[in-house]
Amino acid sequence: MPPWTAADIPPQRGRVFLVTGGSSGLGAEVTLALCAAGAEVILTCRDEERGRAVAAAAQGPVQVRHLDLADLASVRTFAEGLTEPVDVLINNAGVMAVPHSVTADGFERHIGTNHLGPFALTGLLLDRVRDRVVTVTSGLHRLGRVRPDDLHFTRRRYQRWLAYAQSKLANLLFAYELERRFDNAGPPPPDPESRTPGPISLAAHPGVAATEGQRRDTSFQGRLLAGGRAQPPAMGALPLLYAATAADAAGGTCIGPDGLFQRNGHPETVATSVRSHDTKTARRLWEESERATGVRYPTGG
Ligand SMILES: NC(=O)c1ccc[n+]([C@@H]2O[C@H](COP(=O)([O-])OP(=O)(O)OC[C@H]3O[C@@H](n4cnc5c(N)ncnc54)[C@H](OP(=O)(O)O)[C@@H]3O)[C@@H](O)[C@H]2O)c1
């Protein structure tokens, strides 16, 4: 089979996608490609000016809305304001290897922005998501250790790449656990407007893509971990687009690039670390995430 490209995105007319962090990098590429396929996109960002610039370049309708994932009050305000159903939620926004700081709620910034904010957002929107939840992780999840009793690095020495890696492993634990909970909940009552029997949850990662976030870290360690030459953002966006639109993208999987060490290439289902499949840690992370955010999911464990 020839490699999957953006030209293979099935027609998306009538479908609504919510893309977090759509104002730059991969989120912007995903927005443009989805609109070119006929989709309607709700793009969230902190800097609405940048979001509007992406909307202006898109070939279809894009609503730009404010959302700060590092602030649970903003997540709640956004979720309350979103009344329409969403076919696909793409949890893409994230920060990468930033110096130590905390979110509005006192969470370490990576786990707060990359996991706890999206965890709260997904839980608050769950009854409005019809088709799937795609959570964006990173190959660097392999360096991470999720410590549900020390998510905020109060007992470990803070290292920004390890904090980033913990949050990206948390993304996978969350995506897989959400899929298990969807499975346990059984099929929802039939929705005449939905094309699928019920939502699925899966993960995707872009390999190494030359975005602002990726370029920001010019340290030796950053360049080493990023793994040399980065592919263009449009290529990095392909696994996210495949995960979000392909009929054969399965729940409980991760889509990544097919090249050496999953650093570049075209989308395929990829293996993730043994730790990412640890159901005990996934359940403990889930409980701690519900406690920290105050958002309780309707799906049982
Ligand atoms: N590029 C890569 O090589 C690579 C590799 C592996 C994984 N990833 C993952 O891909 C995703 C996108 O990254 P990118 O490379 O496209 O980076 P990027 O260009 O820096 O984009 C990140 C996006 O996240 C948004 N964001 C950051 N903090 C936020 C917050 N507190 N609330 C809401 N939105 C926030 C940013 O919007 P603002 O304008 O509001 O800052 C921006 O739109 C991330 O989850 C990242 O971990 C990227």
Side-chain angles (χ1 to χ4, degrees):
M1 224 170 52
W4 195 90
T5 69
D8 296 308
I9 298 173
Q12 298 296 318
R13 201 155 298 285
R15 302 235 300 162
V16 179
F17 291 73
L18 173 52
V19 182
T20 68
S23 56
S24 74
L26 301 169
E29 292 292 338
V30 164
T31 298
L32 297 178
L34 289 172
C35 286
E40 182 183 332
V41 174
I42 301 168
L43 176 164
T44 78
C45 55
R46 290 176 301 178
D47 182 343
E48 289 167 72
E49 194 71 33
R50 292 208 303 169
R52 279 194 287 273
V54 175
Q59 288 173 40
V62 178
Q63 296 176 40
V64 177
R65 301 212 191 155
H66 184 267
L67 169 63
D68 184 353
L69 288 159
D71 181 351
L72 290 175
S74 169
V75 174
R76 284 186 184 279
T77 304
F78 173 82
E80 279 160 20
L82 189 85
T83 47
E84 62 265 49
V86 164
D87 292 287
V88 181
L89 164 60
I90 307 180
N91 285 317
N92 161 76
V95 287
M96 246 184 264
V98 292
H100 184 267
S101 65
V102 294
T103 67
D105 306 282
F107 304 146
E108 184 283 317
R109 188 159 300 276
H110 293 92
I111 201 76
T113 310
N114 298 359
H115 168 66
L116 292 170
F119 178 91
L121 179 71
T122 308
L124 293 170
L125 297 183
L126 208 59
D127 58 356
R128 272 159 281 172
V129 177
R130 288 171 172 161
D131 180 14
R132 61 188 79 180
V133 178
V134 176
T135 301
V136 179
T137 180
S138 161
L140 288 181
H141 78 273
R142 289 178 188 280
L143 296 182
R145 302 283 182 281
V146 166
R147 289 257 316 261
D149 63 339
D150 188 27
L151 289 180
H152 309 289
F153 280 80
T154 50
R155 296 184 209 164
R156 288 177 280 179
R157 193 165 73 85
Y158 181 79
Q159 290 185 50
R160 59 206 173 103
W161 281 103
L162 294 186
Y164 175 66
Q166 172 179 248
S167 72
K168 292 287 121 180
L169 177 57
N171 290 152
L172 278 171
L173 289 164
F174 166 68
Y176 296 161
E177 178 67 17
L178 181 59
E179 175 64 12
R180 283 190 288 273
R181 287 174 184 243
F182 281 148
D183 273 355
N184 290 347
D191 172 356
E193 287 185 46
S194 172
R195 295 182 194 181
T196 56
I200 59 168
S201 163
L202 71 165
H205 83 80
V208 183
T211 61
E212 243 175 70
Q214 198 265 344
R215 279 194 297 260
R216 212 167 285 139
D217 189 349
T218 53
S219 68
F220 174 70
Q221 192 188 28
R223 279 178 287 137
L224 191 73
L225 288 171
R229 189 191 278 266
Q231 58 182 345
M235 278 299 291
L238 288 181
L240 283 58
L241 288 163
Y242 185 95
T245 64
D248 60 356
T253 64
C254 182
I255 309 297
D258 62 1
L260 191 64
F261 302 126
Q262 300 178 16
R263 289 220 297 249
N264 52 32
H266 294 267
E268 68 172 12
T269 304
V270 294
T272 59
S273 68
V274 172
R275 279 191 190 88
S276 70
H277 296 286
D278 176 354
T279 53
K280 195 170 154 216
T281 304
R283 274 199 302 276
R284 287 184 60 212
L285 175 65
W286 193 279
E287 284 158 18
E288 178 54 25
S289 303
E290 286 195 334
R291 196 199 60 73
T293 61
V295 174
R296 293 197 73 82
Y297 275 58
T299 55

